[in-house]
Amino acid sequence: VDGNIILGEDGNTLTLRIEHDRISFLDSGAEMAYFSNNKLYVTDGEFLNSLRLGNFAFLPRDNGNLSFTKL
């Protein structure tokens, strides 16, 4: 559509739009997240296990606590 690729299923509110400089995730037409210029932009995020940021990470402990550590 207009030079973009739009992936989705009729009746499903989730779609993926691929443009020449951006990949977008939409829910009911509203952009929830996108990749552009080597970055990921997200409205809200949920990580199920761990999160790594460069040489640092948030890692779960066996006792249920969370550690922030240098890798």
Side-chain angles (χ1 to χ4, degrees):
V1 176
D2 297 325
N4 301 320
I5 297 171
I6 302 194
L7 301 173
E9 182 177 327
D10 286 338
N12 191 329
T13 62
L14 299 176
T15 56
L16 175 74
R17 182 175 61 218
I18 303 172
E19 303 175 52
H20 74 282
D21 63 347
R22 184 182 190 118
I23 298 173
S24 301
F25 301 88
L26 299 103
D27 190 356
S28 299
E31 189 173 64
M32 298 291 111
Y34 64 93
F35 286 99
S36 182
N37 296 321
N38 292 321
K39 294 181 183 177
L40 170 64
Y41 300 84
V42 182
T43 302
D44 292 305
E46 184 172 333
F47 293 86
L48 301 177
N49 188 49
S50 63
L51 172 62
R52 182 173 174 170
L53 304 166
N55 292 328
F56 298 91
F58 291 96
L59 301 170
R61 292 182 178 176
D62 292 335
N63 65 4
N65 290 340
L66 183 66
S67 292
F68 180 67
T69 186
K70 185 174 182 183
L71 302 174

